[in-house]
Amino acid sequence: MAFGAEELRVLRRALALALHPSPASAEDVQDCLRLAESVDEAAREGARLRAFLVADLARYRAALPGTAAGYLVLLEEVLAAGYRPNPDDLAALRALRGNPTAAALLDRCRILAEQDVRARLAGRSVPSVPSSRTRLLALPGGRAADEPDKKPEPKPQSQPPRPDRPIPTPGEVFPPRRKPGPPPANPPQQLAAG
C-alpha cells in the first residue's frame, strides 16, 4: 500500500500523538479518521481483488493443461498477494513440472506448504489472508475524550457480492483482439490517362 504526501503528513502526526499523548485538534482527529477510512477501503479492495484472483486461479487450474501459461502467471500473482497454495495447486504444478517456470513455482509452493504444516504442528494459526487492522477509535484529546461512555455507531455494511452472479472470466472482460486480414494478393493497378 502506498501513501501520498498528505497521507504521510497525517500518519506522522497520528504517530506523534500516539507516542507523546497531547490533546489533538479537531482537524487532526478528522484527518486521522479520513486516513483510517481510506486504509480500510484499500484493505477491502485488496480483499476483493484477492478473492477474484483466487477464483480465477481455480478456473485456470480446472482447465489445465491447456491454460498452463496463464495458470503459472496467475499463480505467481496470487502468491505475491499472500495466497497460500493448496494441495490442488501442488498437484497441478507436479503435472506441469516439465516447464521450468512450473518447476520453480513448485519449489516455492512446497516451501510455503512446509511452513504452514510446521506452523500448525507448533499450534500457531496459519494466515490464509493478511489480517485486517483494527479500527481507529480515538486519539488522545479526540472524540472519545469528550464522550467517554458513547460507543461509535456501526456503519451500515455494504451488500456482499451476489452469489447468483458468476464472476466474469478474463476472456469475457477483455475479449481477444482480431488480427488484421492479409493484404490483397494483386493490388489494383491505376491506369494513366493521356
Side-chain angles (χ1 to χ4, degrees):
M1 188 177 302
F3 291 105
E6 182 64 22
E7 292 166 327
L8 285 175
R9 182 193 65 77
V10 172
L11 187 59
R12 189 175 314 146
R13 179 70 181 133
L15 290 173
L17 287 170
L19 292 173
H20 306 289
S22 64
S25 69
E27 181 182 344
D28 285 341
V29 171
Q30 288 303 317
D31 287 345
C32 289
L33 289 173
R34 275 193 296 275
L35 179 62
E37 288 172 4
S38 295
V39 169
D40 286 340
E41 178 58 31
R44 283 191 297 271
E45 187 61 33
R48 283 190 292 268
L49 176 62
R50 199 169 19 264
F52 176 80
L53 290 174
V54 169
D56 214 19
L57 182 69
R59 280 194 292 275
Y60 273 81
R61 187 175 50 238
L64 284 173
T67 58
Y71 173 74
L72 297 174
V73 169
L74 193 57
L75 182 59
E76 284 180 331
E77 189 175 342
V78 296
L79 287 174
Y83 174 74
R84 304 304 270 195
N86 62 30
D88 292 336
D89 293 314
L90 294 172
L93 289 171
R94 277 189 215 102
L96 298 171
R97 71 176 149 227
N99 180 321
T101 305
L105 276 172
L106 179 59
D107 291 340
R108 181 176 170 193
C109 289
R110 280 183 181 158
I111 291 169
L112 291 171
E114 287 174 10
Q115 290 172 351
D116 290 350
V117 169
R118 285 191 182 115
R120 284 190 190 108
L121 290 175
R124 296 188 310 256
S125 64
V126 177
S128 57
V129 294
S131 60
S132 61
R133 66 172 194 82
T134 56
R135 282 199 43 79
L136 175 66
L137 296 178
L139 292 174
R143 241 194 262 181
D146 299 334
E147 307 165 4
D149 295 333
K150 187 176 177 183
K151 293 184 179 180
E153 294 180 20
K155 290 175 64 175
Q157 296 294 327
S158 62
Q159 294 290 347
R162 295 185 340 211
D164 59 332
R165 185 180 155 263
I167 298 174
T169 64
E172 293 169 341
V173 176
F174 305 106
R177 293 184 181 168
R178 303 281 182 227
K179 293 182 180 178
N186 294 327
Q189 297 178 352
Q190 293 188 357
L191 300 175

